[in-house]
């Protein structure tokens, strides 16, 4: 199945974006997010980017004040996911220009559009930034 | 915290008519945002879904995205959209196609699979479609395939799949590869023709041929596609075609050799992602030795680098390597480095190192590794200690060069990490010591040493008390080891231990006393004084032991027989090893339930070792017996029946062989743990043995119970099934059934006469549950439709099975779910009542006085209005009764009746035949006699009036915690596995005295 969820959390632990590719109830999500945030945010730069939690593996990366946390199956290629996070950030960068937490907060829909183009049902659909961004650009032009 | 007040505000906004498209969009996004922050959003779903059918792209897009985030595949609203979605998919507008495919790909369920699969396939294969649609079609099809594997069971699909892999567009190729991975993981034979295509794709990528700039990532041609392709190749068992094989190995060789460490982090990560996948593929293909050792060399390099990610992955892949090849010898060379990783500052890495050390341990290096683990134990962090000690214990047991070393290790473990040592570990050491005569004096001397330390962990006291009680007489000639001195050492610990340990100490005293030859009057009076003191202990277990030992001590010769040394244990497989499998996932999750589950087989062993006490020749088959265990049996407290069964066995056996009761005593020491009891039942059996000796027919004839007891060892539900059912009658979600293997949860939604239940079947094990079957036995008044229940539940997975209920007419009958599954050789079958009961179709409604009285008057006399005097009501204060009625969705209207002792309630009942029907209830109580009341019921339907009256009557009379007589087969006897009142719970005892 691959990717189970993608979270963007700031360093205060507030969720900025959450996208799940398997159905969890609200309580389960809340509990899961809380546990993961507690585990990952406490780690430092010298530690690796992988955390084992329940039956997931969390691959995470920090960009300034924002953490990108991706929950994957245990047998997923961790480094590929780690770079996928970076690809996501670069894509956002290309669109927003020097993306920051506020961009994602205030343009939640755009962030969702990009994710939607990149991941579907837990699998990677597209890795070309131009292709990912073309629907959004079309829409921006139309409006 | 975030102020939740905007929620109602948005709710108001979103439901306003005449919103502009922009506003609608805005509020739907806000709703998603609120949901994302963790607030329950149960409104606006309809609005989100309705946006899907909007004509314009922006609204449609919002509709699709928000819908797929908010709803799950079983949501009713999705059904409303299915037509629009299909129209979008087969329509001409590419952008609409993409949106629809994405949503179906994310949350499409079985219904979607059935109605959309051909269209999606067509899109995927169409040559006129643009890549942007086809890549989504590929993943959409993957989803549909998972929901219903038949969607690709078309002739020639494998060939088309192979054609798809010739695709030039990398986006389509990436998605198709994901689809292929899912397909080959299920059935690699059908897709063998895809194998050379995968190799070709990989070659194309690795040689960077015809890869658009957009798809290279830091100079590396789509690392994700490379990884995916190699993953797909790992599902084919072998590659036969020599040309393909050679090509693949060339590519792999290039990757292995050509990956260098570069400065740019991203490039480095991406190339190593490919490298690690290549390593996995090489291991899978079982390449030539040369290539293998190359891999191990690489991994050896990785586990020593500074970069933590690579170190982590190096360790992880080395562990994988242990499993697939006999690379053990080469890996052992890195042992020192791995041990260093055990002290890494990062817990993720430490865990990997621990796993690897555990995996690579064998007879040659066990001593080193275990000692290393022991040393690390004192500095390890708490989250890891339990796992660490468990693994050390297992390795010590598995690879011990000699048993005294094993005893040393376990005692050190207890000494260093007593809190994390589960009972299994010390039971195991006791077993070994008992079974090896040479070991006994050594172990006894060793534990004595530990006991002399100033601070001793309680587990150490337990194991020491046990071993010293049994074997301290073997030391009697050594200095400082006279019975009296041993007694003093042990007795010093008594004030520091908890009530679970005191019984073991008492047993030890009794044994020491018995071994004192010639009898020592002073010691005897000392020990008797202790027994005397505990004879009035509040803990039943301790009290019983004290009383019995005191009585035994005065028996003289009989004492010798009963307190003789324990016989050998039957050889059994270590339960620790099984336990370790569980701890892999998460040590914190170690729960009593699992332990119990693992203990069960060993317990079964103990019991079946005994000859059937009641003379039954063979174990009786499961089915009929569980039915034979009628309610009267169920209500007898389980604990007593267990004891009776045991005593029966014991009693009859004592006459044959005086050794046996004590055999049981030890069997019990380990046995009851399986049933959660404290090492309690032990003495109970002894006690009964005594009463037999005295000729007192104390033990009830339990012959009928023994076989039941035996088969109880199959699978025991956790908790009381009847209680769970009653709880679920009052609420809409909770656990319906649980045993060590499976948990069945239920969640229900009720709307008018429709109900929608979802059964959550959760496998709690690391092994799949097979032959899962669920059969609905609905009563005549309910129409029920259970969606397909999969035959197998994968390890640790949860399966959701929706169940649709339609209430046709009023009735109190209950639906029954006949559920069965197989775990290992255990066939489990339970019949569970489903909480689709009358009150679920009620909707409380307030009726003001000016409406109530005309209604009440218009419904006059039977059969629409019924009155009955109910006696034998469970006495309860009026407010409590009002609460009870409220919980059954009968709305109490205070003040309608001038008499404060009366209750008036109203509700609406929904069924297909009656539609919404108002019901009015009046209950007149007598303050002088709370056990009787007069109840008057009125509604527009005679059956409803009658059924509702009977229903309320049942609720008022029965005590909800006791299982009422159900029309369905009684819940299996094992329902009572856990005694409701633990016999040694002082609070419960007190309560018993007071009532």
């Amino acid at each position: 199945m691959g990717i189970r969820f993608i979270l963007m959390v700031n360093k205060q632990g507030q969720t900025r974006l959450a996208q799940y590719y398997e159905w969890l109830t609200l309580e389960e999500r809340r509990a899961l997010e809380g546990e993961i945030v507690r585990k990952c945010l406490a780690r430092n730069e010298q530690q690796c980017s992988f955390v084992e939690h329940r039956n997931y593996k969390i691959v995470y990366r920090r960009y300034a004040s924002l953490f990108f946390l991706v929950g994957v199956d245990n047998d997923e290629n961790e480094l590929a996911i780690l770079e996928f996070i970076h690809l996501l950030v670069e894509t956002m960068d290309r669109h927003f220009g020097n993306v920051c937490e506020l961009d994602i907060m205030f343009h939640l829909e755009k962030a969702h559009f990009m994710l939607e183009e990149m991941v579907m049902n837990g699998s990677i659909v597209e890795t070309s930034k131009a292709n990912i961004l073309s629907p959004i650009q079309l829409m921006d032009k139309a409006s | 915290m975030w102020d939740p007040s905007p929620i109602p505000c948005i709710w108001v906004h979103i439901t306003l008519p005449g919103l502009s498209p922009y506003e609608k969009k805005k509020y739907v996004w806000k709703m998603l945002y609120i949901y994302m922050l963790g607030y329950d959003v149960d409104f606006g779903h309809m609005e989100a879904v309705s946006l899907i059918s909007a004509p314009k792209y922006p609204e449609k897009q919002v509709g699709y995205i928000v819908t797929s985030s908010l709803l799950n595949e079983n949501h009713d609203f999705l059904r409303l959209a299915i037509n629009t979605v299909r129209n979008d998919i087969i329509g001409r507008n590419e952008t609409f196609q993409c949106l629809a495919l994405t949503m179906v790909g994310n949350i499409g369920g079985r219904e979607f699979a059935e109605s959309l699969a051909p269209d999606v396939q067509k899109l995927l294969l169409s040559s006129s479609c643009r890549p942007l649609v086809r890549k989504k079609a590929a993943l959409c099809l993957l989803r549909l395939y998972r929901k219903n594997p038949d969607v690709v069971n078309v002739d020639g699909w494998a060939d088309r799949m192979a054609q798809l892999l010739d695709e030039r567009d990398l986006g389509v190729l990436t998605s198709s590869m994901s689809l292929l991975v899912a397909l080959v993981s299920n059935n690699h034979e059908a897709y063998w023709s895809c194998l050379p295509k995968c190799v070709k794709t990989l070659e194309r990528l690795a040689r960077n041929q015809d890869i658009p700039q957009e798809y290279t990532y830091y100079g590396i041609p789509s690392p994700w596609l490379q990884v995916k392709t190699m993953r797909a190749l790992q599902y084919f068992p072998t590659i036969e075609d020599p040309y393909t094989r050679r090509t693949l190995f060339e590519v792999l060789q290039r990757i292995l050799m050509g990956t260098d460490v570069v400065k740019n982090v991203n490039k480095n990560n991406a190339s190593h992602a490919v490298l690690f996948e290549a390593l996995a593929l090489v291991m899978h293909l079982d390449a030539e030795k040369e290539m293998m050792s190359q891999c191990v060399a690489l991994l050896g390099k990785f586990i020593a680098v500074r970069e933590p990610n690579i170190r982590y992955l190096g360790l992880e892949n080395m562990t994988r390597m242990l499993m697939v090849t006999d690379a053990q010898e080469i890996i052992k060379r890195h042992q020192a480095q791995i041990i260093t990783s055990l002290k890494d500052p990062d817990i993720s890495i430490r865990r990997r190192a621990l796993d690897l050390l555990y995996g690579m341990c064998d007879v040659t290096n066990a001593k080193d590794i275990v000692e290393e683990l022991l040393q690390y134990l004192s500095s390890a962090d708490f989250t890891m200690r339990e796992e660490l000690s468990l693994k050390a214990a297992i390795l010590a047991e598995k690879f011990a060069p000699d048993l005294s070393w094993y005893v040393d290790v376990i005692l050190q473990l207890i000494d260093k990490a007593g809190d994390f040592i589960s009972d299994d570990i010390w039971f195991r050491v006791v077993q070994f010591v008992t079974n090896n005569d040479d070991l006994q004096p050594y172990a006894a001397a060793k534990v004595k040493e530990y006991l002399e330390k100033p601070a001793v962990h309680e587990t150490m006291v337990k194991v020491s008390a046990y071993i010293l009680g049994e074997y301290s007489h073997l030391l009697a000639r050594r200095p400082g080891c006279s019975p009296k001195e041993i007694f003093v050492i042990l007795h010093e610990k008594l004030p520091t231990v908890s009530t679970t340990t005191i019984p073991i100490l008492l047993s030890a005293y009794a044994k020491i006393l018995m071994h004192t030859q010639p009898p020592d009057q002073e010691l005897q009076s000392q020990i008797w004084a202790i027994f005397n003191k505990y004879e009035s202990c509040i803990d039943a277990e301790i009290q019983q032991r004290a009383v019995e030992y005191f009585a035994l001590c005065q028996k003289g010769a009989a004492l010798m027989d009963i307190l003789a040394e324990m016989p050998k244990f039957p050889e059994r497989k270590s339960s620790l090893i099984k336990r370790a499998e569980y701890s892999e996932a998460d040590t914190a999750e170690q729960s009593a339930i699992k332990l119990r589950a693992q203990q069960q087989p060993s317990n079964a062993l103990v019991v079946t070792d005994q000859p059937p006490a009641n003379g039954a020749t063979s174990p009786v088959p499961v089915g009929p017996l569980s039915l034979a265990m009628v309610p009267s049996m169920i209500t007898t407290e389980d604990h007593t029946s267990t004891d009776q069964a045991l005593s029966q066995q014991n009693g009859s056996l004592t006459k044959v062989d005086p050794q046996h009761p004590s055999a049981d005593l030890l069997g019990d020491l380990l046995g009851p743990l399986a049933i959660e009891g404290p090492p309690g039942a032990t003495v109970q059996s002894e006690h009964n043995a005594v009463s037999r000796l005295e000729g007192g027919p104390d033990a009830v004839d339990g012959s009928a119970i023994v076989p039941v007891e035996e088969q109880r060892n199959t699978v025991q539900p956790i908790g009381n099934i009847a209680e769970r059912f009653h709880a679920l009658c009052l609420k809409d979600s909770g656990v319906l059934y649980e045993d060590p293997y499976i948990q069945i949860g239920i969640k229900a939604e009720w709307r008018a006469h429709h109900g929608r239940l979802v059964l959550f079947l959760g496998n709690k094990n690391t092994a799949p549950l097979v032959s899962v079957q669920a059969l609905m036995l609905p009563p005549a008044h309910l129409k029920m439709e259970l969606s397909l229940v999969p035959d197998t539940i994968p390890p640790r997975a949860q399966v959701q099975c929706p169940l649709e209920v339609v209430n046709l007419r009023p009735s109190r009958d209950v639906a029954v779910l006949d559920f069965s599954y197989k775990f290992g050789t255990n066939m489990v079958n339970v019949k569970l009542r489903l909480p689709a009961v009358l009150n679920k179709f009620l909707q409380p409604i307030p009726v003001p006085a000016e409406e109530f009285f005309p209604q009440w008057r218009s419904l006059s006399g039977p059969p629409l209005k019924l009155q009955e005097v109910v006696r034998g009501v469970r006495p309860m204060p009026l407010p409590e009764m009002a609460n009870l009625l409220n919980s059954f969705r009968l709305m109490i209207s205070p003040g309608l009746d001038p008499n404060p002792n009366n209750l008036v309630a109203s509700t609406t009942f929904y069924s297909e035949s009656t539609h919404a029907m108002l019901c009015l209830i009046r209950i007149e109580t007598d303050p002088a006699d709370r056990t009787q009341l007069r109840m008057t019921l009125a509604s527009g339907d005679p059956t409803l009036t009658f059924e509702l009256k009977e229903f309320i009557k049942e609720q008022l009379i029965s005590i909800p915690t006791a299982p009422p007589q159900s029309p369905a087969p009684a819940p299996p006897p094992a329902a009572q596995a856990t005694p409701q009142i633990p016999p040694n719970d002082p609070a419960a005892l007190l309560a018993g005295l007071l009532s």
Side-chain angles (χ1 to χ4, degrees), chain B residues 577-737:
Chain B
I577 293 174
K578 281 181 233 150
R579 233 191 98 188
E581 292 162 13
Y582 288 87
S583 63
E584 309 268 274
D586 192 345
T587 18
E589 274 181 355
Q590 278 296 344
S591 66
I593 305 158
K594 282 185 204 144
L595 284 179
R596 220 174 304 143
Q598 290 143 22
Q599 276 288 323
Q600 245 148 28
S602 66
N603 183 39
L605 226 162
V606 174
V607 176
T608 46
D609 266 356
Q610 310 286 342
N614 61 341
T617 43
S618 63
V620 196
V622 178
L625 248 171
S626 49
L627 289 179
M629 181 128 167
V630 282
S632 66
M633 257 301 310
I634 294 176
T635 46
T636 51
E637 206 187 310
D638 171 76
H639 202 73
T640 47
S641 69
T642 315
D643 294 335
Q644 286 164 5
L646 285 170
S647 68
Q648 175 66 19
Q649 289 182 340
N650 261 313
S652 53
L653 285 169
T654 353
K655 289 167 191 161
V656 190
D657 178 3
Q659 278 277 316
H660 255 84
S662 41
D664 225 353
L665 189 129
L666 232 200
D668 272 346
L669 178 61
L670 296 143
L673 306 154
I675 334 176
E676 210 178 86
T682 324
V683 189
Q684 221 122 348
S685 58
E686 218 169 59
H687 158 66
N688 288 319
V690 178
S691 51
R692 275 289 160 121
L693 286 173
E694 287 171 332
D698 170 299
V700 188
D701 185 22
S703 32
I705 303 157
V706 177
V708 175
E709 180 58 29
E710 263 177 11
Q711 45 141 315
R712 216 178 262 180
N713 287 309
T714 48
V715 168
Q716 308 175 339
I718 297 163
N720 183 331
I721 298 183
E723 261 175 40
R724 291 188 190 275
F725 169 75
H726 283 288
L728 281 170
C729 287
L730 295 181
K731 57 185 191 171
D732 281 337
S733 61
V735 176
L736 182 66
Y737 171 80

Side-chain angles (χ1 to χ4, degrees), chain A residues 32-78:
Chain A
L32 182 73
E33 285 174 28
E35 291 162 9
I36 291 174
V37 164
R38 268 195 299 282
K39 260 193 185 174
C40 294
L41 267 55
R43 294 169 62 87
N44 62 32
E45 295 282 317
Q46 277 80 52
Q47 294 178 313
C48 68
S49 317
F50 319 121
V51 176
E52 286 151 39
H53 181 75
R54 299 203 202 171
N55 44 350
Y56 301 111
K57 195 169 269 184
I58 317 293
V59 179
Y60 74 96
R61 220 166 165 160
R62 182 183 173 165
Y63 292 88
S65 63
L66 204 58
F67 285 80
F68 288 71
L69 309 142
V70 180
V72 294
D73 289 337
N74 258 320
D75 57 353
E76 188 66 38
N77 188 312
E78 295 89 348

Side-chain angles (χ1 to χ4, degrees), chain A residues 49-50 52 57 83 90 126, chain B residues 135 215 217-218 312 316:
Chain A
S49 317
F50 319 121
E52 286 151 39
K57 195 169 269 184
E83 282 320 293
E90 282 188 349
E126 184 59 82
Chain B
K135 69 187 179 196
Y215 283 98
Y217 181 78
Y218 289 90
Y312 174 93
E316 186 182 38

Side-chain angles (χ1 to χ4, degrees), chain B residues 850-870:
Chain B
E850 62 270 25
E851 282 174 37
F852 187 91
F853 291 109
Q855 288 277 2
W856 185 256
R857 264 177 245 121
S858 71
L859 299 165
S860 59
L864 294 183
K865 193 186 222 167
L866 293 172
Q867 192 168 68
E868 187 180 337
V869 176
V870 185

Side-chain angles (χ1 to χ4, degrees), chain A residues 1 15-19 21 23-26 29-30 33 43 46-52 54-55 57 61 74-80 82-84 86-87 90 94 105 108-109 112-113 116-117 120-121 123-131 135 139, chain B residues 29 32-33 35-40 57 61 65 69-72 101-102 105-106 135-136 139-140 142-143 146 171 174-175 178 214-215 217-218 222 224 227 231 266 269-270 272-273 276-277 308-309 312-313 316 320 345-348 351-352 585-586:
Chain A
M1 160 98 185
T15 307
R16 288 300 176 216
L17 190 146
Q19 177 73 51
Y21 297 99
W23 179 256
L24 297 179
T25 63
L26 198 69
R29 288 181 187 206
R30 250 185 277 174
E33 285 174 28
R43 294 169 62 87
Q46 277 80 52
Q47 294 178 313
C48 68
S49 317
F50 319 121
V51 176
E52 286 151 39
R54 299 203 202 171
N55 44 350
K57 195 169 269 184
R61 220 166 165 160
N74 258 320
D75 57 353
E76 188 66 38
N77 188 312
E78 295 89 348
L79 283 178
L82 193 65
E83 282 320 293
F84 185 71
H86 190 69
L87 179 73
E90 282 188 349
R94 188 184 284 194
M105 232 179 115
L108 189 65
E109 76 285 3
H112 268 284
F113 296 156
E116 173 118 337
E117 288 296 317
M120 185 172 153
N121 193 21
S123 303
I124 297 173
V125 201
E126 184 59 82
T127 55
S128 145
K129 285 175 215 125
N131 287 352
M139 238 190 347
Chain B
W29 273 117
L32 181 66
Y33 185 70
Y35 179 67
M36 197 190 75
L37 289 178
Y39 294 97
D40 201 359
Y57 183 76
Q61 185 185 34
I65 291 183
S69 300
L70 285 181
L71 305 188
N72 69 358
L101 287 170
T102 311
N106 282 332
K135 69 187 179 196
K136 304 219 160 168
L139 285 177
C140 183
L142 168 61
R143 168 91 185 187
R146 284 200 179 119
T174 309
S175 308
S178 294
E214 261 303 308
Y215 283 98
Y217 181 78
Y218 289 90
S222 181
W224 301 282
V227 166
R231 184 55 61 89
N266 300 309
N269 282 340
H272 279 80
F276 276 111
E277 203 62 46
N309 286 345
Y312 174 93
L313 293 170
E316 186 182 38
R320 280 185 195 153
D346 183 352
I347 184 161
S348 298
R351 260 184 211 285
R352 287 294 116 235
D586 192 345

